[in-house]
Amino acid sequence: GAVVSQHPSRVICKSGTSVKIECRSLDFQATTMFWYRQFPKKSLMLMATSNEGSKATYEQGVEKDKFLINHASLTLSTLTVTSAHPEDSSFYICSASGRYLWKQETQYFGPGTRLLVL
Amino acid sequence: QQQVKQSPQSLIVQKGGISIINCAYENTAFDYFPWYQQFPGKGPALLIAIRPDVSEKKEGRFTISFNKSAKQFSLHIMDSQPGDSATYFCAARGLEGSARQLTFGSGTQLTVLP
């Protein structure tokens, strides 16, 4: 199946710093990428959807100036958490769908990035 | 109308038993229903998916049963194994508008006892 990678897998940073998380589709062209946030023992919460070359669409309640999303190519999307605070600590998961042999746009998930803000 | 309700929240099954997780939806625009398996600290992995034109789909020990009139679908794990212990999420997606995004259920934490 299709592979989506994320980097880093975990990051610890000080409050006030910015953190960039990369999401790559390794063997297909990801026309759409999604960023989710997941709290312990909770379901996935969609933060934003981005199409290659266009601005991301953010879900209600998600601060676009705090969570900067760039989808510059068909294989790479980045999420930057700006001026991170302890409440931003969470598990961030990207997902991608696109042209990959299937009739329907199956959505594949990355392994997630654990962010801890001290 | 975007909700997908999942139950139970947690499930404990003996090895070799059948695990059953249920989901219900309201939005009739949904036409794709995947199940994801997630291990701790990992991203969700697609397990099996179904479209509403069939009532059942089986892949190995995993079966989805779909009831379009009741707007319900369920995951059955036959001969459950300790390695199946994970969190399972149902999801739904449609083709148009806001339904195009995957809507997830709340998750079921499955524990299979050895």
Side-chain angles (χ1 to χ4, degrees), chain A residues 2 10 15 18 20 22-24 36-38 46-47 49-50 58 64 79 81-82 89 94 96 100 104 114-115:
Chain A
R10 62 169 43 198
S15 185
S18 294
K20 181 184 283 188
E22 289 187 351
C23 176
R24 294 181 185 273
Y36 294 83
R37 185 173 179 175
Q38 186 178 33
L46 181 65
M47 299 174 65
T49 303
S50 71
Y58 290 80
K64 57 182 67 177
L79 168 67
V81 183
T82 62
S89 299
C94 74
Y100 182 64
Q104 61 201 37
R114 176 76 60 193
L115 171 63

PDB file of all heavy atoms in Angstrom, chain A residues 2 10 15 18 20 22-24 36-38 46-47 49-50 58 64 79 81-82 89 94 96 100 104 114-115:
ATOM      1  N   ALA A   2       0.180   2.393  -0.118  1.00  0.00           N
ATOM      2  CA  ALA A   2       0.888   3.667  -0.137  1.00  0.00           C
ATOM      3  C   ALA A   2       1.521   3.963   1.209  1.00  0.00           C
ATOM      4  O   ALA A   2       1.029   3.543   2.244  1.00  0.00           O
ATOM      5  CB  ALA A   2      -0.092   4.769  -0.502  1.00  0.00           C
ATOM      6  N   ARG A  10       9.152  12.370  17.171  1.00  0.00           N
ATOM      7  CA  ARG A  10       8.835  13.057  18.413  1.00  0.00           C
ATOM      8  C   ARG A  10       9.771  14.244  18.590  1.00  0.00           C
ATOM      9  O   ARG A  10      10.903  14.228  18.123  1.00  0.00           O
ATOM     10  CB  ARG A  10       8.913  12.134  19.630  1.00  0.00           C
ATOM     11  CG  ARG A  10      10.250  11.531  19.935  1.00  0.00           C
ATOM     12  CD  ARG A  10      10.252  10.861  21.301  1.00  0.00           C
ATOM     13  NE  ARG A  10       9.046  10.075  21.558  1.00  0.00           N
ATOM     14  CZ  ARG A  10       8.679   9.699  22.763  1.00  0.00           C
ATOM     15  NH1 ARG A  10       9.375  10.048  23.822  1.00  0.00           N
ATOM     16  NH2 ARG A  10       7.586   8.994  22.926  1.00  0.00           N
ATOM     17  N   SER A  15       8.784  26.328  25.473  1.00  0.00           N
ATOM     18  CA  SER A  15       7.658  27.209  25.191  1.00  0.00           C
ATOM     19  C   SER A  15       8.141  28.461  24.470  1.00  0.00           C
ATOM     20  O   SER A  15       9.171  29.037  24.819  1.00  0.00           O
ATOM     21  CB  SER A  15       6.990  27.584  26.522  1.00  0.00           C
ATOM     22  OG  SER A  15       5.836  28.343  26.295  1.00  0.00           O
ATOM     23  N   SER A  18       9.233  27.613  17.730  1.00  0.00           N
ATOM     24  CA  SER A  18       8.415  27.084  16.637  1.00  0.00           C
ATOM     25  C   SER A  18       8.930  25.708  16.234  1.00  0.00           C
ATOM     26  O   SER A  18      10.130  25.452  16.276  1.00  0.00           O
ATOM     27  CB  SER A  18       8.448  28.027  15.439  1.00  0.00           C
ATOM     28  OG  SER A  18       7.825  29.252  15.763  1.00  0.00           O
ATOM     29  N   LYS A  20       8.583  22.586  13.261  1.00  0.00           N
ATOM     30  CA  LYS A  20       8.105  22.198  11.929  1.00  0.00           C
ATOM     31  C   LYS A  20       8.037  20.682  11.835  1.00  0.00           C
ATOM     32  O   LYS A  20       8.982  19.984  12.162  1.00  0.00           O
ATOM     33  CB  LYS A  20       9.021  22.741  10.839  1.00  0.00           C
ATOM     34  CG  LYS A  20       8.555  22.382   9.421  1.00  0.00           C
ATOM     35  CD  LYS A  20       9.514  22.848   8.356  1.00  0.00           C
ATOM     36  CE  LYS A  20       9.395  24.310   8.100  1.00  0.00           C
ATOM     37  NZ  LYS A  20      10.198  24.754   6.912  1.00  0.00           N
ATOM     38  N   GLU A  22       7.250  17.575   9.115  1.00  0.00           N
ATOM     39  CA  GLU A  22       7.160  17.270   7.684  1.00  0.00           C
ATOM     40  C   GLU A  22       6.341  16.014   7.441  1.00  0.00           C
ATOM     41  O   GLU A  22       6.413  15.051   8.202  1.00  0.00           O
ATOM     42  CB  GLU A  22       8.561  17.060   7.092  1.00  0.00           C
ATOM     43  CG  GLU A  22       9.389  18.317   6.983  1.00  0.00           C
ATOM     44  CD  GLU A  22      10.697  18.070   6.238  1.00  0.00           C
ATOM     45  OE1 GLU A  22      11.019  16.898   5.960  1.00  0.00           O
ATOM     46  OE2 GLU A  22      11.383  19.062   5.941  1.00  0.00           O
ATOM     47  N   CYS A  23       5.603  16.043   6.369  1.00  0.00           N
ATOM     48  CA  CYS A  23       4.800  14.892   5.960  1.00  0.00           C
ATOM     49  C   CYS A  23       5.087  14.630   4.486  1.00  0.00           C
ATOM     50  O   CYS A  23       4.938  15.535   3.663  1.00  0.00           O
ATOM     51  CB  CYS A  23       3.321  15.183   6.180  1.00  0.00           C
ATOM     52  SG  CYS A  23       2.210  13.882   5.606  1.00  0.00           S
ATOM     53  N   ARG A  24       5.491  13.409   4.175  1.00  0.00           N
ATOM     54  CA  ARG A  24       5.833  13.070   2.803  1.00  0.00           C
ATOM     55  C   ARG A  24       5.062  11.841   2.316  1.00  0.00           C
ATOM     56  O   ARG A  24       4.928  10.862   3.059  1.00  0.00           O
ATOM     57  CB  ARG A  24       7.325  12.790   2.663  1.00  0.00           C
ATOM     58  CG  ARG A  24       8.222  13.984   2.893  1.00  0.00           C
ATOM     59  CD  ARG A  24       9.696  13.636   2.704  1.00  0.00           C
ATOM     60  NE  ARG A  24      10.550  14.783   3.037  1.00  0.00           N
ATOM     61  CZ  ARG A  24      10.879  15.735   2.183  1.00  0.00           C
ATOM     62  NH1 ARG A  24      10.434  15.691   0.947  1.00  0.00           N
ATOM     63  NH2 ARG A  24      11.646  16.733   2.556  1.00  0.00           N
ATOM     64  N   TYR A  36      -4.138  16.167  11.323  1.00  0.00           N
ATOM     65  CA  TYR A  36      -4.995  15.838  12.451  1.00  0.00           C
ATOM     66  C   TYR A  36      -4.225  16.028  13.753  1.00  0.00           C
ATOM     67  O   TYR A  36      -3.003  15.939  13.804  1.00  0.00           O
ATOM     68  CB  TYR A  36      -5.456  14.373  12.388  1.00  0.00           C
ATOM     69  CG  TYR A  36      -6.368  14.038  11.231  1.00  0.00           C
ATOM     70  CD1 TYR A  36      -5.853  13.741   9.974  1.00  0.00           C
ATOM     71  CD2 TYR A  36      -7.750  13.996  11.405  1.00  0.00           C
ATOM     72  CE1 TYR A  36      -6.688  13.416   8.919  1.00  0.00           C
ATOM     73  CE2 TYR A  36      -8.589  13.667  10.357  1.00  0.00           C
ATOM     74  CZ  TYR A  36      -8.055  13.372   9.122  1.00  0.00           C
ATOM     75  OH  TYR A  36      -8.885  13.044   8.074  1.00  0.00           O
ATOM     76  N   ARG A  37      -5.013  16.198  14.790  1.00  0.00           N
ATOM     77  CA  ARG A  37      -4.467  16.262  16.139  1.00  0.00           C
ATOM     78  C   ARG A  37      -5.217  15.215  16.959  1.00  0.00           C
ATOM     79  O   ARG A  37      -6.432  15.041  16.801  1.00  0.00           O
ATOM     80  CB  ARG A  37      -4.695  17.653  16.719  1.00  0.00           C
ATOM     81  CG  ARG A  37      -4.066  17.887  18.064  1.00  0.00           C
ATOM     82  CD  ARG A  37      -4.223  19.350  18.446  1.00  0.00           C
ATOM     83  NE  ARG A  37      -3.627  19.605  19.765  1.00  0.00           N
ATOM     84  CZ  ARG A  37      -3.526  20.794  20.334  1.00  0.00           C
ATOM     85  NH1 ARG A  37      -4.007  21.869  19.712  1.00  0.00           N
ATOM     86  NH2 ARG A  37      -2.968  20.932  21.516  1.00  0.00           N
ATOM     87  N   GLN A  38      -4.470  14.511  17.791  1.00  0.00           N
ATOM     88  CA  GLN A  38      -5.104  13.464  18.593  1.00  0.00           C
ATOM     89  C   GLN A  38      -4.628  13.560  20.036  1.00  0.00           C
ATOM     90  O   GLN A  38      -3.422  13.529  20.304  1.00  0.00           O
ATOM     91  CB  GLN A  38      -4.784  12.075  18.028  1.00  0.00           C
ATOM     92  CG  GLN A  38      -5.527  10.958  18.719  1.00  0.00           C
ATOM     93  CD  GLN A  38      -5.228   9.595  18.106  1.00  0.00           C
ATOM     94  OE1 GLN A  38      -4.119   9.345  17.638  1.00  0.00           O
ATOM     95  NE2 GLN A  38      -6.226   8.721  18.088  1.00  0.00           N
ATOM     96  N   LEU A  46      -9.656  16.676  12.881  1.00  0.00           N
ATOM     97  CA  LEU A  46      -9.118  17.309  11.692  1.00  0.00           C
ATOM     98  C   LEU A  46      -8.801  18.769  11.973  1.00  0.00           C
ATOM     99  O   LEU A  46      -9.638  19.504  12.489  1.00  0.00           O
ATOM    100  CB  LEU A  46     -10.111  17.200  10.541  1.00  0.00           C
ATOM    101  CG  LEU A  46      -9.676  17.814   9.210  1.00  0.00           C
ATOM    102  CD1 LEU A  46      -8.470  17.069   8.639  1.00  0.00           C
ATOM    103  CD2 LEU A  46     -10.834  17.803   8.209  1.00  0.00           C
ATOM    104  N   MET A  47      -7.571  19.172  11.627  1.00  0.00           N
ATOM    105  CA  MET A  47      -7.176  20.564  11.817  1.00  0.00           C
ATOM    106  C   MET A  47      -7.336  21.350  10.519  1.00  0.00           C
ATOM    107  O   MET A  47      -7.847  22.468  10.515  1.00  0.00           O
ATOM    108  CB  MET A  47      -5.718  20.632  12.278  1.00  0.00           C
ATOM    109  CG  MET A  47      -5.432  19.944  13.591  1.00  0.00           C
ATOM    110  SD  MET A  47      -3.682  19.930  13.964  1.00  0.00           S
ATOM    111  CE  MET A  47      -3.347  21.670  14.175  1.00  0.00           C
ATOM    112  N   THR A  49      -7.100  20.974   5.861  1.00  0.00           N
ATOM    113  CA  THR A  49      -6.971  20.229   4.612  1.00  0.00           C
ATOM    114  C   THR A  49      -6.234  21.118   3.628  1.00  0.00           C
ATOM    115  O   THR A  49      -6.534  22.311   3.523  1.00  0.00           O
ATOM    116  CB  THR A  49      -8.352  19.888   4.040  1.00  0.00           C
ATOM    117  OG1 THR A  49      -9.094  19.145   5.011  1.00  0.00           O
ATOM    118  CG2 THR A  49      -8.226  19.082   2.760  1.00  0.00           C
ATOM    119  N   SER A  50      -5.277  20.546   2.935  1.00  0.00           N
ATOM    120  CA  SER A  50      -4.553  21.363   1.951  1.00  0.00           C
ATOM    121  C   SER A  50      -4.436  20.635   0.633  1.00  0.00           C
ATOM    122  O   SER A  50      -4.229  19.417   0.583  1.00  0.00           O
ATOM    123  CB  SER A  50      -3.152  21.723   2.473  1.00  0.00           C
ATOM    124  OG  SER A  50      -2.312  20.599   2.483  1.00  0.00           O
ATOM    125  N   TYR A  58      -8.772  25.572   6.988  1.00  0.00           N
ATOM    126  CA  TYR A  58      -8.710  25.215   8.397  1.00  0.00           C
ATOM    127  C   TYR A  58     -10.102  24.933   8.957  1.00  0.00           C
ATOM    128  O   TYR A  58     -11.083  25.565   8.557  1.00  0.00           O
ATOM    129  CB  TYR A  58      -8.063  26.356   9.199  1.00  0.00           C
ATOM    130  CG  TYR A  58      -6.581  26.515   8.931  1.00  0.00           C
ATOM    131  CD1 TYR A  58      -6.122  27.179   7.799  1.00  0.00           C
ATOM    132  CD2 TYR A  58      -5.642  25.986   9.802  1.00  0.00           C
ATOM    133  CE1 TYR A  58      -4.770  27.308   7.538  1.00  0.00           C
ATOM    134  CE2 TYR A  58      -4.284  26.115   9.562  1.00  0.00           C
ATOM    135  CZ  TYR A  58      -3.861  26.780   8.429  1.00  0.00           C
ATOM    136  OH  TYR A  58      -2.513  26.904   8.187  1.00  0.00           O
ATOM    137  N   LYS A  64      -5.156  29.595  12.241  1.00  0.00           N
ATOM    138  CA  LYS A  64      -4.299  29.456  11.057  1.00  0.00           C
ATOM    139  C   LYS A  64      -2.953  30.143  11.233  1.00  0.00           C
ATOM    140  O   LYS A  64      -1.971  29.765  10.606  1.00  0.00           O
ATOM    141  CB  LYS A  64      -5.021  29.968   9.825  1.00  0.00           C
ATOM    142  CG  LYS A  64      -5.494  31.400   9.879  1.00  0.00           C
ATOM    143  CD  LYS A  64      -6.242  31.777   8.592  1.00  0.00           C
ATOM    144  CE  LYS A  64      -7.546  31.022   8.483  1.00  0.00           C
ATOM    145  NZ  LYS A  64      -8.333  31.423   7.279  1.00  0.00           N
ATOM    146  N   LEU A  79       3.709  21.223   8.604  1.00  0.00           N
ATOM    147  CA  LEU A  79       2.919  21.893   9.643  1.00  0.00           C
ATOM    148  C   LEU A  79       3.902  22.558  10.593  1.00  0.00           C
ATOM    149  O   LEU A  79       4.772  21.881  11.142  1.00  0.00           O
ATOM    150  CB  LEU A  79       2.066  20.883  10.400  1.00  0.00           C
ATOM    151  CG  LEU A  79       1.413  21.380  11.695  1.00  0.00           C
ATOM    152  CD1 LEU A  79       0.355  22.429  11.400  1.00  0.00           C
ATOM    153  CD2 LEU A  79       0.800  20.212  12.478  1.00  0.00           C
ATOM    154  N   VAL A  81       4.150  24.663  14.004  1.00  0.00           N
ATOM    155  CA  VAL A  81       3.478  25.147  15.211  1.00  0.00           C
ATOM    156  C   VAL A  81       4.297  26.347  15.689  1.00  0.00           C
ATOM    157  O   VAL A  81       5.445  26.194  16.125  1.00  0.00           O
ATOM    158  CB  VAL A  81       3.419  24.060  16.301  1.00  0.00           C
ATOM    159  CG1 VAL A  81       2.652  24.570  17.511  1.00  0.00           C
ATOM    160  CG2 VAL A  81       2.771  22.788  15.759  1.00  0.00           C
ATOM    161  N   THR A  82       3.721  27.527  15.550  1.00  0.00           N
ATOM    162  CA  THR A  82       4.463  28.736  15.890  1.00  0.00           C
ATOM    163  C   THR A  82       4.249  29.109  17.350  1.00  0.00           C
ATOM    164  O   THR A  82       3.169  28.910  17.901  1.00  0.00           O
ATOM    165  CB  THR A  82       4.020  29.907  15.000  1.00  0.00           C
ATOM    166  OG1 THR A  82       2.629  30.160  15.234  1.00  0.00           O
ATOM    167  CG2 THR A  82       4.241  29.583  13.535  1.00  0.00           C
ATOM    168  N   SER A  89       0.962  20.647  23.175  1.00  0.00           N
ATOM    169  CA  SER A  89       1.494  19.282  23.267  1.00  0.00           C
ATOM    170  C   SER A  89       0.406  18.299  22.841  1.00  0.00           C
ATOM    171  O   SER A  89      -0.706  18.330  23.363  1.00  0.00           O
ATOM    172  CB  SER A  89       1.949  18.983  24.687  1.00  0.00           C
ATOM    173  OG  SER A  89       2.978  19.858  25.088  1.00  0.00           O
ATOM    174  N   CYS A  94      -0.434  13.320  10.010  1.00  0.00           N
ATOM    175  CA  CYS A  94      -0.812  13.781   8.684  1.00  0.00           C
ATOM    176  C   CYS A  94      -1.397  12.609   7.899  1.00  0.00           C
ATOM    177  O   CYS A  94      -1.204  11.439   8.245  1.00  0.00           O
ATOM    178  CB  CYS A  94       0.377  14.368   7.933  1.00  0.00           C
ATOM    179  SG  CYS A  94       1.557  13.155   7.342  1.00  0.00           S
ATOM    180  N   ALA A  96      -2.688  11.570   3.663  1.00  0.00           N
ATOM    181  CA  ALA A  96      -2.623  11.997   2.276  1.00  0.00           C
ATOM    182  C   ALA A  96      -3.505  11.124   1.403  1.00  0.00           C
ATOM    183  O   ALA A  96      -3.670   9.929   1.659  1.00  0.00           O
ATOM    184  CB  ALA A  96      -1.182  11.948   1.780  1.00  0.00           C
ATOM    185  N   TYR A 100      -3.330   7.284  -7.079  1.00  0.00           N
ATOM    186  CA  TYR A 100      -2.517   6.095  -6.777  1.00  0.00           C
ATOM    187  C   TYR A 100      -3.260   4.846  -7.199  1.00  0.00           C
ATOM    188  O   TYR A 100      -3.589   4.007  -6.397  1.00  0.00           O
ATOM    189  CB  TYR A 100      -2.191   6.038  -5.288  1.00  0.00           C
ATOM    190  CG  TYR A 100      -1.318   4.865  -4.901  1.00  0.00           C
ATOM    191  CD1 TYR A 100      -0.031   4.752  -5.385  1.00  0.00           C
ATOM    192  CD2 TYR A 100      -1.793   3.871  -4.051  1.00  0.00           C
ATOM    193  CE1 TYR A 100       0.756   3.677  -5.035  1.00  0.00           C
ATOM    194  CE2 TYR A 100      -1.010   2.790  -3.700  1.00  0.00           C
ATOM    195  CZ  TYR A 100       0.269   2.704  -4.193  1.00  0.00           C
ATOM    196  OH  TYR A 100       1.051   1.648  -3.842  1.00  0.00           O
ATOM    197  N   GLN A 104     -11.060   5.091  -5.935  1.00  0.00           N
ATOM    198  CA  GLN A 104     -11.426   6.079  -4.922  1.00  0.00           C
ATOM    199  C   GLN A 104     -10.172   6.596  -4.239  1.00  0.00           C
ATOM    200  O   GLN A 104      -9.134   5.956  -4.250  1.00  0.00           O
ATOM    201  CB  GLN A 104     -12.344   5.453  -3.882  1.00  0.00           C
ATOM    202  CG  GLN A 104     -11.718   4.287  -3.135  1.00  0.00           C
ATOM    203  CD  GLN A 104     -12.763   3.387  -2.511  1.00  0.00           C
ATOM    204  OE1 GLN A 104     -13.812   3.166  -3.091  1.00  0.00           O
ATOM    205  NE2 GLN A 104     -12.501   2.892  -1.331  1.00  0.00           N
ATOM    206  N   ARG A 114       4.894  13.082  17.952  1.00  0.00           N
ATOM    207  CA  ARG A 114       4.564  13.432  19.336  1.00  0.00           C
ATOM    208  C   ARG A 114       5.270  14.731  19.681  1.00  0.00           C
ATOM    209  O   ARG A 114       6.486  14.802  19.645  1.00  0.00           O
ATOM    210  CB  ARG A 114       5.026  12.321  20.273  1.00  0.00           C
ATOM    211  CG  ARG A 114       4.820  12.611  21.755  1.00  0.00           C
ATOM    212  CD  ARG A 114       3.401  12.459  22.173  1.00  0.00           C
ATOM    213  NE  ARG A 114       2.888  11.112  21.936  1.00  0.00           N
ATOM    214  CZ  ARG A 114       1.594  10.796  21.998  1.00  0.00           C
ATOM    215  NH1 ARG A 114       0.712  11.717  22.276  1.00  0.00           N
ATOM    216  NH2 ARG A 114       1.223   9.565  21.776  1.00  0.00           N
ATOM    217  N   LEU A 115       4.511  15.762  19.972  1.00  0.00           N
ATOM    218  CA  LEU A 115       5.074  17.060  20.345  1.00  0.00           C
ATOM    219  C   LEU A 115       4.870  17.291  21.834  1.00  0.00           C
ATOM    220  O   LEU A 115       3.761  17.193  22.340  1.00  0.00           O
ATOM    221  CB  LEU A 115       4.413  18.194  19.547  1.00  0.00           C
ATOM    222  CG  LEU A 115       4.750  19.625  20.002  1.00  0.00           C
ATOM    223  CD1 LEU A 115       6.239  19.920  19.829  1.00  0.00           C
ATOM    224  CD2 LEU A 115       3.921  20.641  19.234  1.00  0.00           C
TER     225      LEU A 115
END
